Amino acid sequence: MQLPRSTLLDAYLRMQRIRNFEERIVIEFSSGEIPGFIHSYLGQEASAVGTCIHLDDDDYIGSTHRGHGHCIAKGADLKAMMAELYGKRDGLCRGKGGSMHIADLSKGMLGANAIVGGSPPLVLGAALTAKTRGNGKVAVAFTGDGGSNQGTVFEAMNMAVVLQLPAIFVIENNGFGEGTAASYACGTPDLAARAAAFGMPAVAVDGTDFFAVHDAVGEAVERARGGGGPSTVETRCPRFTGHFVGDPQHYRARGEVEALRRDGDPLALIRRRLIEAGLFDVEQFDALDRDVAAEIDDAVAFARAAPIPDEADLMADVYIAYR
Amino acid sequence: MPRKTIREAINEALAQEMERDPNVIIIGEDVAGGEGGSSGVEDAFGGVMGVTKGLLPRFGRTRVIDTPISESAIMGMAAGAAVTGLRPVAELMFADFFGVCFDQIYNQAAKFRYMFGGRARTPLVIRSMIGAGYSAAAQHSQSPHSIFTHVPGLKVVMPSSAYDAKGLLIQAIRDDDPVVFFEHKLLYDLADEVPSEPYAIPFGEANFVREGDDVTIVAFARMVHIAAEAADLLEKEGISVDLIDPRTTSPLDEDSILESVRRTGRLVVVDEGNPRCGLAADIAALAAEHAFHSLKAPIRTVTAPHTPVPFAPNLEAAYIPSAARVAAVVREIMR
Ligand SMILES: Cc1ncc(C[n+]2csc(CCOP(=O)(O)OP(=O)(O)O)c2C)c(N)n1
Ligand SMILES: [Mg+2]
């Protein structure tokens, strides 16, 4: 598929924003600035961006506990995201959600989800809204290899087929669910085939290759917009990091992660491809990277300076008050 | 006597019961961890909090079973295994995840004995984590023990010390009915004296944490420690607290609570759960019904508010009942 230069630039920038954001929050989290738990999206950038590049603000996505990348790829404001991770009042969820619940409804981002397998049924609902209104919008459910074993995901897949909903299931197969390998936990190594058995088109692609994800999800989105029903894309993108920031990863062989970062880096891949195609040169990329780094610096500065929530916020948005 | 943390006490209880009875097995996500990993390290997790560490090398994969992320199947498999002769200890990593799998607990395991006319035994233990305090936000911080307590057919355990954790878990495993064993995630490193030999603490028998005359405080799990802190503050002001930890919410040691309330004439219940239809309201109603004429002051409850658990540390701190709040409430009813 031939893509316009502006789209490629946009894709690169989104991927680089995710990369920088995630690298930065590992530092901020480790120094104690960010509370709670952090699951890093490093190494999976092409999966989120290759998918969300096809979507508008009024298309929907449902995400996972590893949700920052999806949020950025869908166009959420970096400052408000960072402030949310810091538990600040100016955060996307006013400091009430944090990393595992980050959401931006104005961008069609229906939330990270700390319940594994929580998103796919919700995404069916967004797809149902689109189908009912007949507006050609689509809804994407991100799930992990581990999450793909939840009954909720099987139910959602079957129902999407039965109702011919404009839903796309993106199974991000990063090889692990916590410390358990997909090769153990999934009865078949072919998660796309399992989805296909529900009666929808399903393919597996190299999830570190923006172009591969882009093409596969593009087809699925086009089909869904045209009333052709749901699809599944399995994106294979090995996890660059531990399950959470601080995971010692005793279950992985020494050197495995280093090798992945060296040989399977989605950022390096898209850069190389675009340079080879003569569309960008190294200096241009370096300048873009500096711009992105400055955006992330600004986001961190904004988050640090933002006020913490008012104690009265505790009781806001519960509909009902008791004495 | 050796000091052990709650984590160690639970691990020891599991190991000793597995040693004693080959029917005892462990089922859950990453209860060993590392399955299929490239390092060849078995037991890479031992549970997300390290509670089941070391059990796989000792008892093997047939008895320490890592599962896919499929809570309904985990709970159903455990219930089905229990009713057919095994004694599974199934882990529901965070109590919040009961939302994914409650049918297998609520409509299945809890009902068997009664619904089948007393002809079924379901010696199932579900271990699960409750509690806020880690900024883990709305879906990983809840204390839904009241929901389980509401269900006829379930027994519910909430230990506050390592000694109790070991004895109550051994009792839970030997019990012939489904038991939900809630571990508070902020208490794992808390240590006290724990005998090395196996022992069982019967359900429905309160622990008298400290004795006093002015006010009865009833609390569970982490709230026992919050209440004890409050009692320390109050003691300096000349107020003496009778602190009761019933240890199990179902069965509930009603007699011990009522005896104490009749003696002190005042009751404060402290609970980390949400207030409506909750454990604190339940115990307040018990005293209102059966000790009304002994009361010198209104019964009070100190609970989390009627909200989900917020992420921001300052909001979360305001959410969790504090010693200061407990002490303030006691002062109010002592006036
Ligand atoms: C219902 C539920 N079960 C278990 C967990 C604990 N948990 C959080 S992430 C995770 C692993 C998820 O694996 P996968 O879906 O492959 O996503 P990845 O972490 O690899 O992105 C588990 C078991 C949870 N949050 N929710
Ligand atoms: Mg995974």
Side-chain angles (χ1 to χ4, degrees):
Chain A
M1 204 182 288
Q2 197 61 41
L3 292 173
R5 192 175 187 278
S6 60
T7 305
L8 294 167
L9 175 63
D10 183 15
Y12 179 78
L13 281 174
R14 292 194 212 188
M15 286 175 64
Q16 188 62 33
R17 281 191 193 106
I18 297 172
R19 173 61 54 93
N20 255 267
F21 188 95
E22 293 296 68
E23 281 178 341
R24 185 62 180 267
I25 60 166
V26 170
I27 296 166
E28 302 301 319
F29 178 81
S30 305
S31 69
E33 291 238 19
I34 294 176
F37 299 99
I38 296 290
H39 304 92
S40 165
Y41 196 71
L42 288 171
Q44 303 183 200
E45 295 88 348
S47 177
V49 175
T51 300
C52 292
I53 201 91
H54 296 288
L55 308 179
D56 298 322
D57 284 357
D58 39 13
D59 292 311
Y60 303 99
I61 64 167
S63 172
T64 68
H65 57 286
R66 203 175 294 288
H68 309 157
H70 306 139
C71 212
I72 294 172
K74 198 70 174 50
D77 179 60
L78 294 177
K79 288 181 175 159
M81 271 189 76
M82 194 64 87
E84 186 59 32
L85 265 49
Y86 274 70
K88 296 299 185 73
R89 203 172 182 195
D90 300 330
L92 276 177
C93 308
R94 297 174 190 267
K96 281 178 155 177
S99 167
M100 287 198 291
H101 306 293
I102 196 156
D104 187 349
L105 283 304
S106 72
K107 297 281 182 191
M109 192 321 191
L110 302 175
N113 207 311
I115 300 300
V116 170
S119 274
L122 295 174
V123 164
L124 282 195
L128 181 63
T129 298
K131 188 185 176 195
T132 304
R133 296 198 170 142
N135 59 10
K137 297 299 165 193
V138 301
V140 177
F142 289 99
T143 317
D145 48 282
S148 79
N149 296 317
Q150 281 286 30
T152 50
V153 177
F154 298 151
E155 291 181 23
M157 285 185 166
N158 182 57
M159 187 112 95
V161 171
V162 169
L163 301 181
Q164 285 296 293
L165 296 175
I168 294 123
F169 300 91
V170 175
I171 303 176
E172 301 188 307
N173 185 349
N174 63 6
F176 284 95
E178 291 190 347
T180 299
S183 63
Y184 169 80
C186 302
T188 167
D190 193 342
L191 305 182
R194 192 156 73 177
F198 283 101
M200 69 180 117
V203 292
V205 298
D206 176 354
T208 66
D209 178 355
F210 165 79
F211 297 96
V213 178
H214 174 276
D215 291 358
V217 175
E219 259 183 51
V221 168
E222 203 180 332
R223 186 161 41 240
R225 290 203 200 285
S231 314
T232 292
V233 178
E234 177 189 347
T235 60
R236 295 182 176 159
C237 37
R239 212 176 64 200
F240 267 29
T241 64
H243 172 55
F244 52 86
V245 176
D247 175 3
Q249 300 190 75
H250 295 311
Y251 47 88
R252 289 179 117 168
R254 220 171 282 245
E256 180 180 311
V257 170
E258 291 73 10
L260 283 173
R261 287 181 182 241
R262 192 181 57 236
D263 305 328
D265 182 346
L267 260 303
L269 181 61
I270 189 172
R271 248 176 108 117
R272 197 166 64 237
R273 295 274 292 273
L274 295 179
I275 290 171
E276 279 166 11
L279 290 165
F280 294 88
D281 61 28
V282 173
E283 287 72 35
Q284 284 168 318
F285 276 130
D286 289 347
L288 291 171
D289 291 358
R290 279 193 297 276
D291 292 346
V292 170
E295 282 180 55
I296 304 297
D297 282 342
D298 287 351
V300 170
F302 176 83
R304 283 196 183 133
I308 60 172
D310 267 2
E311 211 165 285
D313 293 348
L314 176 63
M315 300 308 295
D317 296 319
V318 279
Y319 333 134
I320 297 170
Y322 297 101
R323 58 181 78 246
Chain B
M1 212 185 289
R3 288 180 71 79
K4 287 163 198 156
T5 62
I6 290 192
R7 177 184 289 104
E8 290 162 347
I10 292 171
N11 184 282
E12 187 170 279
L14 290 168
Q16 289 177 345
E17 286 304 284
M18 290 179 83
E19 202 68 67
R20 185 186 61 80
D21 181 351
N23 289 309
V24 179
I25 58 165
I26 291 178
I27 306 172
E29 295 159 12
D30 288 291
V31 289
E35 284 277 28
S38 50
S39 68
V41 173
E42 293 192 327
D43 206 34
F45 263 58
V48 284
M49 294 292 181
V51 173
T52 44
K53 189 89 187 156
L55 297 177
L56 174 73
R58 217 165 134 187
F59 297 103
R61 292 204 189 283
T62 53
R63 295 185 64 198
V64 180
I65 302 170
D66 269 331
T67 68
I69 306 170
S70 307
E71 283 83 5
S72 282
I74 295 169
M75 291 304 144
M77 183 166 80
V83 82
T84 52
L86 297 183
R87 288 187 177 269
V89 180
E91 183 176 306
L92 180 61
M93 193 184 290
F94 287 74
D96 313 64
F97 308 163
F98 88 81
V100 181
C101 58
F102 207 34
D103 180 69
Q104 297 297 327
I105 303 167
Y106 176 71
N107 280 317
Q108 311 301 335
K111 303 291 191 277
F112 291 160
R113 180 160 147 191
Y114 186 90
M115 190 169 72
F116 297 155
R119 296 213 162 85
R121 290 187 327 160
T122 313
L124 162 68
V125 179
I126 299 169
R127 287 183 45 245
S128 192
M129 261 191 299
I130 56 169
Y134 271 145
S135 290
Q139 297 173 343
H140 274 63
S141 306
Q142 299 171 87
S143 295
H145 48 272
S146 293
I147 294 173
F148 291 81
T149 307
H150 184 72
V151 180
L154 297 179
K155 296 177 180 175
V156 182
V157 184
M158 292 180 70
S160 66
S161 70
Y163 177 86
D164 286 355
K166 180 172 174 184
L168 291 166
L169 184 55
I170 289 178
Q171 175 64 32
I173 293 169
R174 295 178 186 177
D175 199 285
D176 279 342
D177 295 307
V179 178
V180 186
F181 188 89
F182 285 122
E183 301 160 17
H184 196 293
K185 55 177 90 73
L186 264 64
L187 294 184
Y188 280 119
D189 292 321
L190 188 77
D192 50 277
E193 293 189 341
V194 178
S196 294
E197 61 280 2
Y199 58 96
I201 299 175
F203 291 164
E205 289 189 10
N207 180 33
F208 302 95
V209 182
R210 65 160 85 191
E211 294 186 12
D213 304 317
D214 296 320
V215 55
T216 302
I217 300 183
V218 177
F220 297 82
R222 179 166 180 238
M223 291 301 112
V224 172
H225 303 282
I226 298 290
E229 251 181 75
D232 285 340
L233 296 172
L234 293 163
E235 193 168 22
K236 296 189 187 107
E237 301 163 28
I239 300 171
S240 86
V241 171
D242 206 45
L243 177 54
I244 297 183
D245 171 6
R247 303 193 280 204
T248 57
T249 69
S250 187
L252 180 67
D253 187 350
E254 298 176 318
D255 290 346
S256 293
I257 295 170
L258 290 172
E259 269 164 37
S260 172
V261 173
R262 288 193 185 109
R263 196 161 47 73
T264 63
R266 294 183 184 85
L267 173 63
V268 174
V269 191
V270 188
D271 184 31
E272 195 179 323
N274 301 112
R276 292 300 317 280
C277 303
L279 189 57
D282 180 84
I283 292 171
L286 171 78
E289 283 196 37
H290 300 288
F292 185 78
H293 295 293
S294 310
L295 290 172
K296 299 175 192 160
I299 300 167
R300 295 293 299 271
T301 61
V302 181
T303 67
H306 184 70
T307 75
V309 185
F311 168 68
N314 68 319
L315 295 184
E316 190 185 35
Y319 174 95
I320 302 168
S322 65
R325 264 175 68 200
V326 175
V329 162
V330 170
R331 284 184 204 110
E332 274 175 44
I333 58 169
M334 288 302 298
R335 274 201 209 113

